[in-house]
Amino acid sequence: MRYWLRRQMPGFLPPEGRWRHLGEPYHGDEVVVLDCETSVFDKRKGELLSVAAVVVKGQEILLSQALDLTVNSNAKTDENAVRVHYLRREDRSAGVSAAEAVEKVLDFVGNRPICGFYIEYDRAILNRYIKRLYNFKLPNRFIEVSEIYVSQKRRYIPEVQLDLTFEGLAKDLQVPVIERHTAIGDVISTALMYIKLTQFER
């Protein structure tokens, strides 16, 4: 039903050909946790520098199957961004092309739900590349970890003041912050947050 509704929206571009399966309903129990690092902190202009993803199945993170890619990009990188993710131009020289990274992400994710912290940013970055390369946008269901967190907290204490930073959620959920602002480190910490939150719901 959700996919049918999306298809009725103006401007919706369904995946075709090789990527047609991305638009099919997902009936499994896996979620892909994903994170991107970019040249500037602007979803309209940021160039993809690295992307990582892991699969969460139940209460398990399938680390042996993790995706962790650096993009060989000549994009001018904002100084503030470099201070955060440390991806200088020379650090990216051995990476894959942006087109190859996007292709690998699509193959990895499939039609599974995509989860993250401020996932709308990652969604916008990837969609910009996917639209340019394949003329569609990700049709997957997206899950925002901080929204689950807020919903659970305010269910019991509606007026509670919440620290919605990445570090704030990690501290409250007693999750380790692993290699902060590396794509792979952030997805592992986010995956642990997601497991804690969904375990609490159950």
Side-chain angles (χ1 to χ4, degrees):
M1 184 66 175
R2 186 183 293 111
Y3 182 60
W4 181 87
L5 288 172
R6 280 203 301 266
R7 290 184 71 94
Q8 312 314 309
M9 294 177 65
F12 176 74
L13 295 170
E16 300 290 348
R18 173 183 173 184
W19 308 112
R20 186 182 298 272
H21 67 285
L22 300 183
E24 296 173 359
Y26 180 69
H27 301 294
D29 61 349
E30 296 179 346
V31 170
V32 176
V33 181
L34 182 144
D35 181 73
C36 299
E37 299 295 340
T38 57
S39 57
V40 297
F41 300 129
D42 185 333
K43 63 184 180 183
R44 296 166 299 176
K45 300 177 182 178
E47 295 295 323
L48 188 63
L49 302 184
S50 69
V51 57
V54 295
V55 172
V56 173
K57 184 177 178 64
Q59 302 295 295
E60 182 181 4
I61 303 172
L62 307 183
L63 281 176
S64 63
Q65 303 172 20
L67 182 75
D68 185 13
L69 300 170
T70 300
V71 176
N72 186 351
S73 168
N74 289 319
K76 184 178 180 180
T77 310
D78 182 82
E79 290 182 3
N80 292 323
V82 173
R83 291 191 191 101
V84 169
H85 54 55
Y86 303 108
L87 285 169
R88 301 166 302 169
R89 187 171 298 181
E90 53 266 39
D91 300 322
R92 310 189 302 256
S93 60
V96 301
S97 68
E100 184 178 348
V102 170
E103 181 182 23
K104 287 181 181 295
V105 167
L106 291 175
D107 279 333
F108 185 89
V109 171
N111 64 337
R112 294 177 289 202
I114 300 172
C115 173
F117 182 86
Y118 191 24
I119 194 62
E120 182 53 38
Y121 182 84
D122 305 287
R123 179 184 192 173
I125 294 296
L126 290 174
N127 274 339
R128 214 174 69 232
Y129 282 89
I130 295 166
K131 177 70 166 57
R132 186 189 311 157
L133 291 165
Y134 303 115
N135 200 38
F136 72 89
K137 294 183 179 180
L138 286 164
N140 308 61
R141 180 167 71 93
F142 282 80
I143 302 168
E144 173 57 51
V145 163
S146 65
E147 289 181 4
I148 304 174
Y149 176 78
V150 169
S151 175
Q152 289 187 6
K153 286 289 183 179
R154 292 199 169 144
R155 185 184 308 167
Y156 301 102
I157 314 175
E159 305 303 321
V160 67
Q161 295 296 313
L162 301 174
D163 180 355
L164 296 180
T165 63
F166 189 93
E167 290 78 7
L169 264 70
K171 181 179 180 180
D172 191 34
L173 295 171
Q174 298 182 351
V175 163
V177 175
I178 302 168
E179 297 181 8
R180 180 70 171 117
H181 290 302
T182 64
I184 191 63
D186 283 356
V187 295
I188 293 172
S189 293
T190 304
L192 290 169
M193 293 180 198
Y194 174 77
I195 289 171
K196 277 283 187 79
L197 289 165
T198 52
Q199 184 181 46
F200 179 79
E201 282 188 335
R202 282 192 287 270

